[in-house]
Amino acid sequence: MSILTVPRLRRSGRDWPGHRLVVADELPLDCGAALGPFTIAYQTYGRLNPERSNAILVCHALTGDQYVADPHPITGHPGWWTTLAGPGGVLDTERYFLICANVLGGCMGTTGPREINAATGEAWALDFPVITIHDIVRAQKLLVDRLGIEELFCVIGGSMGGMQVLQWASSYPDRVFAAVPIAAAARHSAQNIAFHEVGRQAIMADPDWCGGRYLKEGRNPSRGLAVARMAAHITYLSEAALHRKFGRNLQDRNQITYGFDADFQVESYLRHQGSTFVDRFDANSYLYITRAMDYFDLAAEHGGSLPAAFARRQPRFCIISFTSDWLFPTSESRALVHALNAVAANVSFVEIETDKGHDAFLLHEPELFATLRGFLTGCAEQRGLPRFWT
Amino acid sequence: MRTAAALRLAADAPPEAAPAPGELRSDLRLIADMIDPNSRVLDIGCGDGALLAYLARDKAVDARGIELSQSGVNACVRHGLSVIQGDADRDLDAFPDGAFDVVVLSQTLQATRQPRHVLEALLRIGERAIVSFPNFGFWRIRLSLLCRGRMPMSPLLNNPWYDTPNIHLCTIRDFVALCDELGARIERSLSLDRHGRTIALDPRGSLANLFAEQGIFVLAAGVAAASGKRRMAR
């Protein structure tokens, strides 16, 4: 009856593909602490041109990672944005140099709560400092500095990735030519914080969580993490999409069983989502990264004024929302558009009609592709990027 | 050598070519001629972006747009234009004073909920406003109503009364009266016949109101209205 019976521990990440940057300096964090030395695990696609002007920083979402366009080293699934990134794609790796770094606090190689704290020789667990979206972006900027890139051609991302895009545009506007926040918002709403709290409570209520020290105890709060994922996954979809995919259809049976087994297909689907998630994600990372999203409020950094967050200088913006996204609804994007209009920024805004909910940015959505392709092509012309180079 | 993923991705439509200048609607062509190169322009109700594309390409204009329809916005952004989904009634208030050199409202004023407020906003956010609209005082429209007793329909107003976005139709005289009321200065005006050709008529005279099928006006905020303006530092 339980969704998971055998807690599985993760494989070591030493042999995962991609690059690692070890930063010896300390990174000052919003919480007042400093982190260092620390590691940024990142992946790149395509080639940086001699002018170093064709770099696109891809920012991943809450449970994403740096494997944008190649198979995930644990699950073997294709990269999470293969719909966009690849040779000839919207994020054309024959034209652009894509960079994606695992976020600070993550669990795919960048320093986070499951990595070893040099001071103690044990996993950081809850000794890891609480990080913010700004901290995540500070770490990314260090990486971009080290790669010798003066100005990113574009910073793009969906959901929490979109928050990072906005932070980049606000904090380092002279380092970004074009910014594309998709299905994002300038602050996390009360409803979204509430959903995150449900997820965190599910993890912390799991006896295997052990006050965060589960790695030391040789345990894994898989049940709690799976429940957190199940609850969150509902928010990524829409009522219409759930109805279209599952309706009230029963799972491998002709009638209800008058029990608590997964009678309905939608239950079976969610249990599957929960159980596969725990194989690739760390429970403490989930706590830290959801907290970073909760704390995100760009206007609050600027005395409560969102236009002030973009007052200094603005990259070209392309803001995209989806009609059925109730987690980051169009009203959030429109508030952003108005703030950017107030500082006369160069901004495009498209609301795309779809029933796929928040997850639409990860799915096959031809209007999204056409919009992005047009925006990026226009920006590339303005930036003077050649169509191809050798 | 392209991978399977590349072949799949390549199936997505490439950006379409922007419309050629020769295809510009006659009133848009006249409006384009009134706009100086390298200026900052906001086109409200920009449709598929024909005017913006022409201005950006041929006059190096910093061209922005607002369009209500998703298909229009998507077409614009696909062409690499900076356009936001929105409308004149809701989305002008966010712009600072004097944000643009020229604000264009072509064939849209009659479809706004609050034309007076929209016109005020145009004069606030633009140094100049170019407004074109169908003249409801055009003789054919008058005659149609007089003889047929039905709501007039014309090539410019081709929707039946129960299914039209044009909820605030006016005559050239009505428009001039509103400009006077708002203290707007009419810098220039053009009357167009039903073939889109300009006819030399005084907009304040009764002939323009009778023989122009549409009017194009270049407005600037009057001295009184402009005195409170704050130039936006960019």
Side-chain angles (χ1 to χ4, degrees):
Chain A
M1 210 85 59
S2 163
I3 47 178
L4 270 173
T5 47
V6 186
R8 276 172 283 191
L9 291 177
R10 299 156 45 85
R11 274 170 34 194
S12 153
R14 298 278 168 244
D15 51 350
W16 290 343
H19 313 279
R20 269 151 203 273
L21 172 71
V22 179
V23 182
D25 311 330
E26 288 202 324
L27 183 71
L29 303 173
D30 279 338
C31 67
L35 185 68
F38 67 101
T39 303
I40 302 170
Y42 66 101
Q43 188 61 291
T44 65
Y45 307 89
R47 280 181 299 163
L48 189 61
N49 64 11
E51 298 80 29
R52 298 172 186 256
S53 60
N54 68 335
I56 295 183
L57 180 69
V58 178
C59 301
H60 71 71
L62 166 60
T63 66
D65 48 57
Q66 65 271 42
Y67 300 106
V68 175
D70 51 351
H72 192 281
I74 297 174
T75 64
H77 292 157
W80 55 271
W81 233 0
T82 45
T83 47
L84 290 182
V90 174
L91 300 178
D92 187 352
T93 50
E94 288 173 350
R95 187 176 198 188
Y96 307 118
F97 176 62
L98 306 190
I99 309 161
C100 184
N102 187 212
V103 298
L104 207 60
C107 52
M108 291 303 291
T110 294
T111 301
R114 73 183 288 275
E115 300 295 322
I116 301 298
N117 177 0
T120 63
E122 291 174 1
W124 278 94
L126 294 198
D127 290 337
F128 193 75
V130 169
I131 42 115
T132 64
I133 296 293
H134 201 156
D135 294 330
I136 287 170
V137 167
R138 280 190 187 102
Q140 288 168 349
K141 183 180 160 286
L142 269 177
L143 171 64
V144 170
D145 288 342
R146 296 294 172 92
L147 292 173
I149 295 164
E150 192 58 41
E151 183 190 65
L152 291 161
F153 168 62
C154 177
V155 183
I156 184 171
S159 195
M160 188 185 86
M163 291 177 167
Q164 294 161 58
V165 173
L166 295 174
Q167 188 74 61
W168 264 98
S170 173
S171 299
Y172 311 108
D174 46 345
R175 303 291 299 272
V176 182
F177 185 78
V180 186
I182 306 171
R187 55 167 197 157
H188 215 42
S189 71
Q191 177 175 261
N192 291 0
I193 295 169
F195 277 116
H196 277 171
E197 177 60 3
V198 170
R200 285 190 295 265
Q201 287 300 329
I203 290 168
M204 294 188 282
D206 187 330
D208 285 329
W209 183 61
C210 307
R213 297 180 314 276
Y214 50 89
L215 286 174
K216 193 179 175 192
E217 306 284 336
R219 294 157 82 178
N220 191 13
S222 308
R223 296 178 197 82
L225 182 58
V227 171
R229 175 65 169 178
M230 289 168 75
H233 200 81
I234 300 167
T235 68
Y236 304 151
L237 306 172
S238 70
E239 205 277 335
L242 279 176
H243 186 76
R244 173 166 51 76
K245 272 169 110 165
F246 307 110
R248 290 182 52 83
N249 298 339
L250 300 179
Q251 178 72 28
D252 302 328
R253 64 202 68 191
N254 297 321
Q255 54 190 30
I256 52 175
T257 62
Y258 295 97
F260 297 104
D261 209 1
D263 276 355
F264 294 100
Q265 282 180 7
V266 66
E267 293 174 296
S268 172
Y269 170 77
L270 278 183
R271 289 182 185 195
H272 173 76
Q273 288 297 327
S275 65
T276 53
F277 181 60
V278 301
D279 291 339
R280 68 174 179 90
F281 216 82
D282 176 64
N284 282 339
S285 271
Y286 196 86
L287 300 183
Y288 276 91
I289 301 175
T290 54
R291 206 62 180 144
M293 290 178 77
D294 291 354
Y295 283 164
F296 186 65
D297 183 352
L298 212 44
E301 286 183 27
H302 296 84
S305 161
L306 193 52
F310 302 105
R312 200 148 49 96
R313 181 170 184 237
Q314 313 93 26
R316 285 150 185 76
F317 274 91
C318 182
I319 296 170
I320 299 175
S321 70
F322 300 103
T323 49
S324 54
D325 183 351
W326 54 280
L327 199 60
F328 290 84
T330 290
S331 55
E332 299 279 5
S333 287
R334 198 177 290 285
L336 199 50
V337 169
H338 284 168
L340 288 164
N341 284 343
V343 292
N346 191 328
V347 51
S348 288
F349 165 55
V350 181
E351 182 189 31
I352 289 170
E353 180 99 34
T354 174
D355 77 347
K356 292 174 188 156
H358 183 60
D359 258 357
F361 78 95
L362 296 169
L363 303 173
H364 183 78
E365 203 56 75
E367 281 289 311
L368 171 67
F369 304 159
T371 301
L372 284 176
R373 192 186 287 276
F375 176 74
L376 288 174
T377 305
C379 286
E381 268 169 34
Q382 286 158 353
R383 184 70 185 82
L385 287 189
R387 193 161 279 275
F388 297 103
W389 58 278
T390 49
Chain B
M1 216 352 233
R2 298 245 162 153
T3 62
L7 290 173
R8 180 168 48 75
L9 290 163
D12 303 323
E16 298 144 34
E23 296 161 16
L24 271 188
R25 216 168 63 203
S26 57
D27 61 320
L28 295 183
R29 171 116 228 138
L30 291 166
I31 290 171
D33 290 342
M34 297 175 183
I35 292 173
D36 295 331
N38 302 308
S39 49
R40 297 166 299 157
V41 176
L42 176 68
D43 184 3
I44 303 160
C46 61
D48 63 1
L51 175 65
L52 289 177
Y54 170 75
L55 289 174
R57 186 179 48 203
D58 287 30
K59 291 202 165 189
V61 155
D62 179 354
R64 320 276 178 89
I66 298 180
E67 169 60 26
L68 188 56
S69 76
Q70 190 195 325
S71 59
V73 178
N74 290 6
C76 290
V77 177
R78 276 202 298 273
H79 295 150
L81 298 168
S82 296
V83 172
I84 65 167
Q85 194 165 11
D87 66 53
D89 284 301
R90 180 178 53 180
D91 292 299
L92 296 184
D93 290 342
F95 288 100
D97 298 355
F100 300 96
D101 296 316
V102 181
V103 180
V104 177
L105 189 72
S106 64
Q107 305 293 335
T108 303
L109 184 67
Q110 75 280 0
T112 62
R113 283 189 299 277
Q114 299 185 70
R116 184 194 164 106
H117 179 72
V118 168
L119 212 49
E120 282 174 326
L122 298 186
L123 295 166
R124 181 184 67 79
I125 66 178
E127 295 296 315
R128 278 187 179 72
I130 302 179
V131 182
S132 77
F133 58 93
N135 173 26
F136 211 68
F138 183 46
W139 68 271
R140 278 176 173 264
I141 287 179
R142 298 190 198 195
L143 195 64
S144 163
L145 186 59
L146 187 68
C147 298
R148 294 177 63 232
R150 305 271 313 263
M151 282 303 284
M153 284 171 65
S154 70
L156 278 182
L157 303 169
N158 55 1
N159 303 96
W161 66 272
Y162 51 83
D163 184 28
T164 177
N166 302 319
I167 52 176
H168 283 123
L169 290 158
C170 70
T171 68
I172 285 180
R173 265 195 174 164
D174 289 328
F175 182 79
V176 170
L178 179 57
C179 291
D180 289 345
E181 209 178 310
L182 296 177
R185 205 170 64 244
I186 297 172
E187 291 198 336
R188 198 177 160 197
S189 73
L190 293 176
S191 301
L192 271 62
D193 69 10
R194 64 198 185 94
H195 304 292
R197 292 177 304 220
T198 50
I199 37 180
L201 293 171
D202 173 13
R204 292 182 184 274
S206 53
L207 287 179
N209 202 26
L210 193 57
F211 290 110
E213 189 174 27
Q214 51 177 317
I216 303 179
F217 285 76
V218 182
L219 309 175
V223 181
S227 63
K229 266 198 180 184
R230 171 177 57 88
R231 258 310 276 217
M232 178 70 190
R234 293 184 87 240

